[in-house]
Amino acid sequence: MEHLSQSPNDPDFVQDPYPFYDRARALGDVVFWTDYDMPCAVSHRAVTAALRDRRMGREAPADLAPDIPPALAPFYDVEAHSMLELEPPAHTRLRGLVLRAFTSRRIAGLGPDIHQLCHDLIDRFPAGPFDLLTAYAQPLPVIIIARLLGVPEQDADRLLAWSNAMVAMYQARRTPQIAQDAVTATQEFTAYLTDQIAAKRRTPSDDLLSTLIAARDDGDRLSDAELISTAILLLNAGHEATVHTLGNGVKTQLETGHKDSAPPAIEEILRYDPPLHMFTRWVYEDLDLFGTPLKRGTQIACLLGAANRDPAAYPDPNAFDPARKGPANTAFGGGIHFCVGAPLARLELQIALRILHDRCPSLALTAPPEYADVYHFHGLTSLWVKT
């Protein structure tokens, strides 16, 4: 296995990680990233295989699980009940309960709300240059998820602040202060949801949180801790991915002149500049991944951004082609941990981009967009435009 070094905080890498991915793939399907001290699957075939291989998973083997510092326990106590961090049988039970409530019919029913909210947000665009992220890309998914869960949408700013603080724990720039802010946000978010769940028990309604509560109260084993972790996961993951994808997508469309919002164009946006670039897994038994031996207890990174630009899977991968055909991109992961919110994210992106370009046909950049130092996520600091 070839070794290579690249700081994830290096300014050049932050702005354009794809040359590093090209160098990594040239060394093989799996390389060792010394800055992370772990092997990384970098080709499309290796990432796809690693995401689906049941000899690997998200949950650390019990005898190898890292120690959690007491100061960070509130954050990791919530993570411990998240279906993103669990494996079967716990994952199967929890994901099944969520999918029973998070139905395709419920998601499709959000279409009119998404449509109206997009128009409402555009109606408030200022006359001069403005940041499209704060005016459009950020409020849209947070408000929609608040409505989906059944929590007051006027709390969207608090939900957004808690979400941003918590997901910062997974960024390469993490500091002790970022970690403490994440713990504080977790405690406040947990207290807020505890109150919301209590209110829903007293007065249920037709929303996702009430449906999940009913599943537990009808005899299923969904605990209050699981309810809280699931609600936090749906908000944090849904918000982070959709904001970055919408921002990256508009940037790409304005730079290339392609303003298509059809499903193939959405998939190309997800392939070309995905919101999440790394997804880690633990190796549960000794195995071989395309010629690279991996020992039990190894943690391996699936570099989704590298897989999506693999020339072996996509001809001319560094070109943006809204009509592109090819294998499924890895932006939403794969296997049993494939993103449960993918249908909602796709619906939001299709509607938001179509309405944005219909309402603002002269939309143009007013400043060069810059990416934020948030790896292993990949999103913009701002997106200054004029209509």
Side-chain angles (χ1 to χ4, degrees), residues 142-290:
V142 174
I143 291 172
I144 292 299
I145 291 177
R147 292 178 183 176
L148 173 69
L149 287 172
V151 301
E153 64 183 79
Q154 58 264 32
D155 293 338
D157 287 345
R158 283 201 290 168
L159 300 175
L160 180 61
W162 290 329
S163 173
N164 287 339
M166 291 185 70
V167 299
M169 283 286 278
Y170 297 103
Q171 296 169 8
R173 66 183 180 92
R174 173 176 158 180
T175 64
Q177 185 59 56
I178 286 175
Q180 183 53 55
D181 290 345
V183 169
T184 301
T186 303
Q187 292 170 320
E188 292 176 356
F189 206 166
T190 298
Y192 173 84
L193 287 171
T194 299
D195 290 342
Q196 293 294 321
I197 290 168
K200 295 293 181 186
R201 283 210 173 91
R202 291 191 298 269
T203 311
S205 55
D206 184 23
D207 55 52
L208 185 60
L209 201 52
S210 294
T211 304
L212 289 171
I213 291 168
R216 175 187 182 273
D217 289 346
D218 285 346
D220 240 319
R221 296 175 297 165
L222 189 59
S223 67
D224 281 3
E226 289 170 334
L227 280 169
I228 290 169
S229 293
T230 298
I232 289 176
L233 173 63
L234 291 173
L235 178 78
N236 290 358
H239 156 259
E240 194 76 16
T242 305
V243 171
H244 291 334
T245 306
L246 189 52
N248 296 355
V250 173
K251 168 190 177 291
T252 298
Q253 291 185 326
L254 294 180
E255 289 177 340
T256 62
H258 294 292
K259 296 183 179 181
D260 193 352
S261 59
I266 300 302
E267 295 309 305
E268 178 66 352
I269 286 171
L270 289 162
R271 181 203 70 85
Y272 183 78
D273 209 15
L276 177 66
H277 279 215
M278 177 188 286
F279 190 75
T280 58
R281 291 171 69 75
W282 290 90
V283 177
Y284 293 149
E285 61 183 77
D286 293 356
L287 58 87
D288 182 278
L289 185 62
F290 292 102

Side-chain angles (χ1 to χ4, degrees), residues 6-331:
Q6 172 63 65
S7 168
N9 304 113
D10 176 77
D12 290 338
F13 175 85
V14 168
Q15 296 308 312
D16 186 5
Y18 298 104
F20 168 70
Y21 297 153
D22 290 341
R23 295 198 306 273
R25 281 194 312 272
L27 299 176
D29 292 282
V30 182
V31 299
F32 194 89
W33 192 346
T34 57
D35 302 77
Y36 276 97
D37 194 29
M38 70 172 69
C40 300
V42 292
S43 67
H44 186 275
R45 68 174 186 170
V47 168
T48 301
L51 290 171
R52 296 176 179 277
D53 195 323
R54 297 301 304 132
R55 295 174 296 174
M56 293 179 263
R58 288 288 294 174
E59 197 171 358
D63 59 323
L64 297 172
D67 293 331
I68 302 300
L72 301 183
F75 176 85
Y76 286 105
D77 285 347
V78 168
E79 292 290 281
H81 296 287
S82 169
M83 62 182 171
L84 184 62
E85 306 301 331
L86 297 171
E87 291 298 311
H91 173 272
T92 306
R93 177 182 61 81
L94 185 54
R95 188 177 176 98
L97 285 168
V98 172
L99 288 175
R100 192 183 307 166
F102 203 43
T103 62
S104 57
R105 181 178 180 181
R106 187 186 294 274
I107 294 168
L110 291 169
D113 273 10
I114 298 170
H115 186 277
Q116 185 61 52
L117 180 57
C118 288
H119 282 290
D120 292 344
L121 293 171
I122 292 172
D123 287 342
R124 297 198 287 270
F125 283 178
F130 64 98
D131 181 7
L132 191 73
L133 290 189
T134 56
Y136 196 62
Q138 288 179 353
L140 174 64
V142 174
I143 291 172
I144 292 299
I145 291 177
R147 292 178 183 176
L148 173 69
L149 287 172
V151 301
E153 64 183 79
Q154 58 264 32
D155 293 338
D157 287 345
R158 283 201 290 168
L159 300 175
L160 180 61
W162 290 329
S163 173
N164 287 339
M166 291 185 70
V167 299
M169 283 286 278
Y170 297 103
Q171 296 169 8
R173 66 183 180 92
R174 173 176 158 180
T175 64
Q177 185 59 56
I178 286 175
Q180 183 53 55
D181 290 345
V183 169
T184 301
T186 303
Q187 292 170 320
E188 292 176 356
F189 206 166
T190 298
Y192 173 84
L193 287 171
T194 299
D195 290 342
Q196 293 294 321
I197 290 168
K200 295 293 181 186
R201 283 210 173 91
R202 291 191 298 269
T203 311
S205 55
D206 184 23
D207 55 52
L208 185 60
L209 201 52
S210 294
T211 304
L212 289 171
I213 291 168
R216 175 187 182 273
D217 289 346
D218 285 346
D220 240 319
R221 296 175 297 165
L222 189 59
S223 67
D224 281 3
E226 289 170 334
L227 280 169
I228 290 169
S229 293
T230 298
I232 289 176
L233 173 63
L234 291 173
L235 178 78
N236 290 358
H239 156 259
E240 194 76 16
T242 305
V243 171
H244 291 334
T245 306
L246 189 52
N248 296 355
V250 173
K251 168 190 177 291
T252 298
Q253 291 185 326
L254 294 180
E255 289 177 340
T256 62
H258 294 292
K259 296 183 179 181
D260 193 352
S261 59
I266 300 302
E267 295 309 305
E268 178 66 352
I269 286 171
L270 289 162
R271 181 203 70 85
Y272 183 78
D273 209 15
L276 177 66
H277 279 215
M278 177 188 286
F279 190 75
T280 58
R281 291 171 69 75
W282 290 90
V283 177
Y284 293 149
E285 61 183 77
D286 293 356
L287 58 87
D288 182 278
L289 185 62
F290 292 102
T292 299
L294 298 172
K295 294 289 187 181
R296 177 184 181 276
T298 300
Q299 196 171 24
I300 181 172
C302 299
L303 298 191
L304 311 179
N308 285 352
R309 294 285 189 102
D310 186 350
Y314 307 102
D316 196 12
N318 294 320
F320 180 73
D321 178 7
R324 182 183 296 277
K325 300 184 187 306
N329 66 75
T330 64

